[in-house]
């Protein structure tokens, strides 16, 4: 999924970011699944950018699950509104399950709506995994619900990937992109917090790529006169080697989001 996220970052890259040459070393792998870990407001906006980018630029059919209806779009998408193709946006289908049970039922029923004349989704997005898991009354020592949901998402994506390949051998496989907010975030890359969070440890077994969002409250953010500055860490494993790619997310007071390659 690093391919979709990288496409988002490049699409909404700032002009200064475009001037900087790519950093050396291989990028994170284009894994079947990726997990955004960080503040809910920012990760939700990135997921929306991913949905629109996948539908408009990659021509993917997207299904987007969220525990609550989306009230407003990020400023970046509002500004692009007049230039976005209505036909592209029709490729995004929103679902609003309220509980984990409803989410499981809706994900399991996706294949029933895919007939010979319909296009299977090639991107499944789940916003705010923690909201669904909390609705199930999860306690720190109970990770079975997280494993059940993750396994169902992976099995569903594998099913759609098989259907897509049968219809067009060169088509891209179905990917999964989800967000999760930990109760406490410590450290810019979330290393220690990950070890202390049993639910996140379970999710990491199923989501091969991690996208960690860490807010920068230092001098650079204040000097830039921006509303927020975030560090974005894309991490994964390729050829048995751990790889981390770093970006910077700049959010202006009007909600405009721009990315810079660090």
């Amino acid at each position: 999924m690093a391919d979709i996220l990288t496409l988002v970052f490049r699409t909404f890259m700032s002009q200064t970011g475009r001037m900087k040459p790519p950093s050396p070393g291989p990028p994170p792998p284009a894994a079947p699944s990726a997990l955004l870990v960080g503040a809910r407001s920012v990760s939700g906006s990135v997921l929306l950018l991913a949905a629109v980018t996948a539908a408009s630029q990659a021509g993917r059919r997207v299904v987007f699950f969220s525990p609550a209806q989306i009230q407003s779009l990020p400023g970046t998408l509002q500004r692009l509104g007049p230039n976005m193709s209505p036909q592209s946006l029709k490729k995004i289908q929103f679902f609003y399950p309220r509980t984990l049970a409803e989410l499981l039922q809706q994900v399991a029923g996706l294949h029933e709506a895919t007939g010979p004349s319909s296009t299977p989704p090639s991107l499944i997005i789940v916003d705010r995994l923690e909201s669904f898991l909390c609705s199930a009354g999860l306690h720190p020592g109970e990770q079975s619900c997280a494993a059940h949901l993750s396994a169902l998402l992976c099995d569903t994506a594998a099913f759609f990937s098989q259907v897509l390949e049968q219809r067009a051998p060169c088509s891209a496989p179905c990917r999964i992109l989800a967000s999760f907010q930990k109760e406490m975030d410590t450290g810019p890359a979330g290393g220690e917090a990950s070890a202390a969070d049993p639910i996140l440890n379970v999710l990491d077994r199923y989501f091969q790529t991690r996208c960690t969002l860490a807010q920068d409250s230092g001098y650079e953010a204040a000097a830039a006169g921006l509303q927020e500055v975030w560090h974005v860490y894309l991490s994964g494993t390729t050829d048995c080697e751990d790889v981390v790619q770093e970006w910077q997310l700049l959010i202006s007071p009007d909600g405009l989001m721009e990315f810079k390659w660090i």
Side-chain angles (χ1 to χ4, degrees):
M1 184 49 61
D3 53 347
I4 290 293
L5 289 175
T6 302
L7 178 60
V8 172
F9 301 160
R10 290 183 180 276
T11 300
F12 300 99
M13 184 181 289
S14 68
Q15 293 302 315
T16 55
R18 296 178 191 275
M19 296 172 59
K20 185 171 182 176
S23 57
S33 57
L35 184 68
L36 275 70
V37 180
R40 178 181 299 170
S41 59
V42 180
S43 62
S45 296
V46 174
L47 290 182
L48 285 171
L49 293 182
V52 172
T53 301
S56 61
Q57 294 199 27
R60 292 174 177 250
R61 183 188 163 208
V62 182
V63 290
F64 195 114
F65 294 95
S66 176
Q69 286 199 337
I70 298 170
Q71 301 298 325
S72 62
L73 296 176
T76 299
L77 292 181
Q78 293 180 21
R79 183 172 298 185
L80 292 176
N83 299 321
M84 289 190 291
S85 168
Q87 290 302 119
S88 296
L89 296 181
K90 288 181 180 179
K91 295 180 180 291
I92 307 174
Q93 186 176 10
F94 290 92
F95 294 88
Y96 298 106
R98 295 169 296 178
T99 65
L100 177 62
E102 289 185 5
L103 175 61
L104 292 171
Q105 183 178 15
Q106 291 180 6
V107 172
L110 283 177
H111 70 283
E112 298 177 358
T114 304
S117 60
S118 61
T119 303
S122 54
L123 177 58
I124 301 174
I125 296 178
V126 184
D127 190 17
R128 297 164 55 178
L129 279 176
E130 74 283 350
S131 296
F132 295 110
L133 298 178
C134 288
S135 72
L138 267 179
H139 298 290
E142 299 174 352
Q143 299 93 44
S144 59
C145 289
H148 183 192
L149 174 58
S150 300
L152 177 61
L153 289 169
C154 291
D155 289 345
T156 302
F159 170 79
F160 285 130
S161 294
Q162 185 177 13
V163 174
L164 290 166
E165 184 178 5
Q166 290 173 350
R167 297 187 181 183
C170 296
S171 62
C174 181
R175 312 277 190 175
I176 306 168
L177 184 58
S179 66
F180 178 82
Q181 182 178 17
K182 297 173 290 185
E183 291 185 0
M184 293 184 63
D185 285 310
T186 59
E192 295 182 1
S194 173
D197 192 322
I199 303 302
L200 186 56
N201 286 340
V202 172
L203 296 176
D204 278 337
R205 300 173 192 169
Y206 296 88
F207 292 86
Q208 293 88 351
T209 298
R210 170 84 75 85
C211 179
T212 304
L213 305 168
Q215 187 170 11
D216 183 356
S217 57
Y219 172 78
E220 181 180 1
L226 298 167
Q227 184 182 33
E228 295 175 3
V229 176
W230 292 78
H231 291 283
V232 182
Y233 302 92
L234 266 179
S235 59
T237 302
T238 179
D239 297 330
C240 299
E241 178 184 0
D242 292 334
V243 178
V244 177
Q245 188 182 98
E246 184 178 355
W247 293 73
Q248 191 177 61
L249 169 59
L250 313 175
I251 305 178
S252 62
D254 61 359
L256 182 65
M257 302 174 69
E258 294 184 325
F259 294 88
K260 290 175 59 178
W261 197 323
I262 302 301

